[in-house]
Amino acid sequence: MKGAVVFPGEHKLGVISDVPEPKLESPTGVKLRVLQVGVCATDREIASFVFGTPPPGFQYLVMGHEGFAEIVQTGPEATNLQPGDLVVPTVRRPCDDPACIPCRHDRADFCLTGGYREHGILGLHGFMTEFVVDEARYMRKVPVAIRDAAVLVEPLTIAEKAFIQAGQIQMRLPWNKPAAHALVVGAGPVGLLGAMALRVRGCQVTVYSREREPDPRAEITRAIGANYVSSQDRTPEQMAAGIGNIDLVYEATGNAQVAFSLLNVLGRNGIFIFTGVPGAHAPEGIDIGSLITNMTLKNQCLLATVNAGNDAFDRAIADLTEFCTRWPDAVRGLITGRFKLEQFETPMGVTAGIKNIIEMAS
Ligand SMILES: [Zn+2]
Ligand SMILES: [Zn+2]
C-alpha cells in the first residue's frame, strides 16, 4: 500500500508504496479504507523529527492521527458495524499494565504508566495510508449527513473532553449557573471548533486571536454568533473589560506567554483550560506570587487535558452534526486546504489557512 511516512532515524519524509497491507484476523476487528486525514501541529512536529515513534520492527511511521474512514470488512464478532459504515477511529490505545486502572477501563487518555500507543504518533502506524485494521470498539460511527466534515471530529474531541471535565469540575458551584461567558484564545481549528461547542452550550463566546480583521477566522467567529477581538488591537485587559465575569478560558494557542497573560483575565470561580504543549519556555515578566494570590482569592481552577475518550468522540460527532445544521458555511470554511497523498509534505511545512487535510480516497 501507499503511505505517507516519516523515517525518524534518517530524518526523512516521503510517500512509499510498500507498506504491508494489514489483514483482518481478530474476530472483533474491522478493516477500514481511509477517506480523509487531517493535519495538525502534532503532525508538523513529527515531520520535523521532534517526536514520532515507529511500531516495533519498522524504521518508519505512517503518519496521521485525525482519521475518517469507511468500513470495508468486519470480523464475525464485530456486529455493531458493517461494510459501508463511516467511522472516525480514536487515536490512543491502552498500555498493557494490568495495574493501570484507566487503561483497564478503556480510558487510555488518562493512562498512568505512559505505556500507551497512539496511531500516527507513538508505536502504531497512522491513517495516511490506504487500509487500516483495528478493533471495532475503537471506531466511532459517523452519520452520512456529516461526511464532508467528519475529518474535524478528532480535533473537536480536544474541546469536548475539556468541556465534559470542566462541567464536572464546576459542579462544585452548588447552584444553577446561567450561561457562561467564555473566552477562546487562538482561532485555529482547535479554537474555532471549541468556540462552536461553547456556542451550542449557550455560552457567550469571545475569540481572542492574533489575526486582524478582515480575516476568515474572524468571519467564522462572527458567523457562529461569537465576538472576535484581535490581540493586535486590544490587550487582554482591554478585551476583558468589555465582557463581564469570564467563567471559562479555553486556551488553544500552545503559546506559554499568551496563556499566562490570559490567566489574569479569568473571572471569579472561573476555570482555565490548557490544551497546548508549548514545550520549555520561561514566560517573561510573570509574577508567580500575584498569580497564585489572584487565583486563590477568586476560587479559580486550572485544568489541563490531552487526548480523548469515547465519550468525547461521541459528543464531538453529535456536536458536529449540530454545527453542520446551524452553520454549514462556517464549518465548510474551516477546511482551507486539500492535498493528495503525494503532496502531504506541503501542509507539513506551512501553517497557512485553517485546517489542511489529505484526501486519501473519495
Ligand atoms: Zn491533531
Ligand atoms: Zn495505561
Side-chain angles (χ1 to χ4, degrees):
M1 305 187 297
K2 285 195 285 189
V5 305
V6 56
F7 290 85
E10 298 164 51
H11 282 207
K12 249 175 47 187
L13 284 181
V15 175
I16 60 172
S17 52
D18 58 350
V19 178
E21 184 171 333
K23 284 196 188 65
L24 180 56
E25 280 155 359
S26 162
T28 50
V30 289
K31 185 170 183 178
L32 317 174
R33 186 169 68 106
V34 182
L35 301 175
Q36 294 174 330
V37 189
V39 175
C40 74
T42 299
D43 299 298
R44 287 191 288 273
E45 291 193 315
I46 293 170
S48 46
F49 319 109
V50 178
F51 54 92
T53 307
F58 285 87
Q59 298 298 308
Y60 62 82
L61 171 72
V62 175
M63 295 191 60
H65 58 276
E66 301 183 0
F68 169 51
E70 178 184 18
I71 303 280
V72 290
Q73 194 188 348
T74 58
E77 290 168 35
T79 49
N80 59 333
L81 290 167
Q82 48 187 323
D85 282 349
L86 300 174
V87 293
V88 169
T90 64
V91 178
R92 190 177 281 190
R93 299 294 171 262
C95 74
D96 298 325
D97 189 333
C100 184
I101 292 168
C103 283
R104 303 290 71 80
H105 287 81
D106 241 339
R107 289 308 302 253
D109 57 321
F110 288 109
C111 177
L112 289 169
T113 67
Y116 56 81
R117 296 169 300 157
E118 291 179 325
H119 279 290
I121 302 172
L122 180 61
L124 286 174
H125 281 321
F127 305 129
M128 288 186 194
T129 186
E130 294 169 71
F131 297 101
V132 170
V133 164
D134 205 341
E135 286 297 302
R137 67 195 169 105
Y138 300 126
M139 302 299 128
R140 311 319 294 170
K141 204 167 156 181
V142 170
V144 179
I146 62 163
R147 186 189 175 106
D148 293 339
V151 72
L152 299 170
V153 166
E154 198 281 339
L156 174 56
T157 61
I158 300 167
E160 299 292 356
K161 178 178 171 184
F163 301 153
I164 291 168
Q165 300 269 303
Q168 290 168 348
I169 292 165
Q170 293 301 69
M171 296 290 281
R172 71 196 173 115
L173 306 175
W175 57 83
N176 276 333
K177 292 168 278 296
H181 290 281
L183 174 65
V184 172
V185 188
V190 172
L192 289 173
L193 287 164
M196 290 178 180
L198 289 163
R199 287 294 298 139
V200 301
R201 285 162 172 78
C203 296
Q204 296 181 42
V205 178
T206 299
V207 175
Y208 186 60
S209 192
R210 207 169 29 209
E211 301 78 18
R212 262 207 177 108
E213 294 185 74
D215 185 277
R217 295 165 188 79
E219 281 166 34
I220 290 170
T221 301
R222 297 204 186 280
I224 64 168
N227 187 27
Y228 184 88
V229 179
S230 167
S231 60
Q232 296 189 58
D233 297 333
R234 305 248 176 96
T235 65
E237 287 70 23
Q238 289 169 335
M239 174 267 302
I243 303 179
N245 195 64
I246 298 178
D247 305 293
L248 181 148
V249 177
Y250 181 64
E251 203 288 316
T253 65
N255 180 308
Q257 192 70 40
V258 171
F260 268 89
S261 68
L262 268 299
L263 263 170
N264 287 324
V265 303
L266 180 64
R268 292 180 188 275
N269 310 329
I271 183 162
F272 192 103
I273 302 167
F274 286 114
T275 65
V277 187
H281 297 289
E284 291 157 30
I286 302 289
D287 176 346
I288 303 289
S290 300
L291 192 75
I292 294 173
T293 302
N294 195 40
M295 286 198 69
T296 304
L297 295 179
K298 290 182 176 171
N299 293 299
Q300 293 172 340
C301 277
L302 273 182
L303 168 65
T305 167
V306 69
N307 197 255
N310 285 345
D311 58 342
F313 275 81
D314 291 343
R315 187 69 200 251
I317 291 164
D319 271 354
L320 195 61
T321 307
E322 178 70 20
F323 303 170
C324 289
T325 305
R326 286 200 201 186
W327 315 297
D329 294 338
V331 173
R332 216 171 293 128
L334 291 172
I335 300 175
T336 47
R338 294 171 187 272
F339 298 86
K340 293 196 170 70
L341 182 67
E342 287 72 17
Q343 305 169 303
F344 88 102
E345 289 183 56
T346 307
M348 296 297 168
V350 288
T351 53
I354 303 175
K355 190 69 180 176
N356 290 311
I357 68 167
I358 309 294
E359 300 270 11
M360 297 297 307
S362 50

